[in-house]
Amino acid sequence: MIADVTGSEDGQLIFLNQEGNRYPEFNSSGYGSGMYMDSTFIQRLQDHKDPRLFVLATQTRLGKEAGKALDDFSSYEGGNPIVPYAEVNEKAVKGKLSKVHERFYKDPTAEPLVLIGYSELQFIIAEAIVRGWITGNEKECYVNGIKASFKFYENYAKNLNTYVDASRLESYLSQKMVNLDNAKTSEEKLERILMQKYLRSFHQGGYTAYFDHLRTGYPSLLKADNVKIAYRWMYPQDEYNNNTVQVSEAIKRQFAGNDNINLQTWWLK
């Protein structure tokens, strides 16, 4: 298999520093001031000793004030996504929360928007091999997917590329928690593959990571006890108004007449 970890074959939209072509969040004051990182994502990067954390998030205010190095994992922390916002805000006021990295709203060209890239493709192939749908070397595809993700940030996280360079990558791949050789069962392999697919999805891939969770259960996501999982979009009112017969028939056939976001679609059953 020929590996293109450079990203040259990614299906992507590259931004330019000109009116109408800049990165979507460029100069977004609300994005830069009011958005905080999710503790689920931060914790997983910390658990994996994943240096991509340093190009995706900022240190907490307390971490900066303590003079901690940018690559000190302990100087990053996220907000719990299932508690009331007031609790998250209180944590933010105390300087204990990381924000989205400044480069996303200060750099007009930031990074491309990848519709589907080599990294994601390699994880898709790796999963298919493990499931027995196709033949191939799942570890090679898995490693290529991680390499392509690191290379993406090495290329586009300007002035931060040393945190995701080749030496950092090799150290990362050698970790017991990352190395696919330490996954002994198919389920363990799938969990690692889907975790890496999730970790490369920051600002990329839309709802793909969530759909992977619905489809496979990986990665696990926090959910409040009184909240049900949303499996699908409801049909918009415009469809009911202008396509009544067909919509009613589709809902009857698929969901026994109940247009409910908590009902599984056919491809998840």
Side-chain angles (χ1 to χ4, degrees):
M1 179 179 293
I2 299 175
D4 175 28
V5 299
T6 64
S8 62
E9 296 186 5
D10 286 352
Q12 62 186 12
L13 175 62
I14 297 175
F15 298 99
L16 306 174
N17 188 13
Q18 57 185 236
E19 187 67 31
N21 291 288
R22 298 185 177 99
Y23 191 73
E25 303 303 339
F26 176 63
N27 271 345
S28 172
S29 58
Y31 192 78
S33 62
M35 302 289 286
Y36 296 97
M37 295 292 290
D38 167 29
S39 59
T40 308
F41 191 67
I42 292 281
Q43 187 63 56
R44 282 170 171 157
L45 290 167
Q46 290 171 324
D47 290 344
H48 287 78
K49 294 182 175 59
D50 194 321
R52 285 174 288 188
L53 174 60
F54 315 135
V55 304
L56 298 176
T58 64
Q59 292 174 294
T60 63
R61 176 169 56 80
L62 292 184
K64 290 180 181 178
E65 291 174 351
K68 293 186 177 182
L70 192 65
D71 58 355
D72 185 333
F73 284 99
S74 70
S75 65
Y76 296 82
E77 195 169 344
N80 189 328
I82 64 172
V83 302
Y85 180 74
E87 291 186 32
V88 178
N89 191 56
E90 181 181 356
K91 190 174 180 181
V93 171
K94 294 178 179 178
K96 296 181 178 181
L97 277 185
S98 294
K99 294 182 179 181
V100 178
H101 200 282
E102 296 100 330
R103 70 186 183 87
F104 290 108
Y105 54 89
K106 289 186 176 180
D107 183 353
T109 60
E111 63 186 36
L113 174 61
V114 180
L115 305 178
I116 184 167
Y118 181 81
S119 179
E120 180 184 359
L121 175 63
Q122 289 300 295
F123 295 132
I124 291 172
I125 295 173
E127 178 186 349
I129 294 170
V130 172
R131 292 188 183 279
W133 297 340
I134 59 174
T135 59
N137 187 324
E138 66 264 29
K139 181 179 179 181
E140 180 181 357
C141 294
Y142 171 79
V143 169
N144 284 341
I146 297 174
K147 285 182 176 180
S149 178
F150 270 63
K151 192 65 179 179
F152 178 83
Y153 294 117
E154 187 179 7
N155 288 340
Y156 294 108
K158 304 174 184 70
N159 302 315
L160 297 166
N161 55 349
T162 57
Y163 295 105
V164 285
D165 62 13
S167 62
R168 295 270 190 159
L169 170 65
E170 291 308 313
S171 296
Y172 182 71
L173 291 172
S174 68
Q175 292 183 98
K176 184 176 181 180
M177 197 172 187
V178 176
N179 193 324
L180 200 63
D181 289 337
N182 293 309
K184 302 305 181 184
T185 67
S186 293
E187 278 303 307
E188 289 175 347
K189 290 180 180 179
L190 288 174
E191 183 176 11
R192 294 194 178 205
I193 291 168
L194 270 298
M195 176 61 72
Q196 288 299 327
K197 191 178 177 188
Y198 160 76
L199 292 177
R200 59 75 54 197
S201 69
F202 188 77
H203 280 191
Q204 306 287 352
Y207 283 94
T208 298
Y210 183 66
F211 290 143
D212 279 342
H213 165 74
L214 295 181
R215 181 174 61 85
T216 68
Y218 302 126
S220 60
L221 299 175
L222 289 176
K223 182 177 69 68
D225 292 337
N226 61 338
V227 173
K228 295 181 179 179
I229 293 176
Y231 285 100
R232 55 176 290 269
W233 297 107
M234 293 175 65
Y235 286 97
Q237 188 60 46
D238 186 62
E239 280 294 309
Y240 280 101
N241 294 341
N242 299 298
N243 198 23
T244 307
V245 175
Q246 286 78 10
V247 170
S248 298
E249 176 59 29
I251 295 170
K252 179 181 178 181
R253 188 168 62 248
Q254 297 179 77
F255 307 111
N258 185 7
D259 188 10
N260 189 304
I261 64 172
N262 304 122
L263 297 177
Q264 286 186 319
T265 53
W266 63 268
W267 54 273
L268 290 172
K269 295 179 181 179

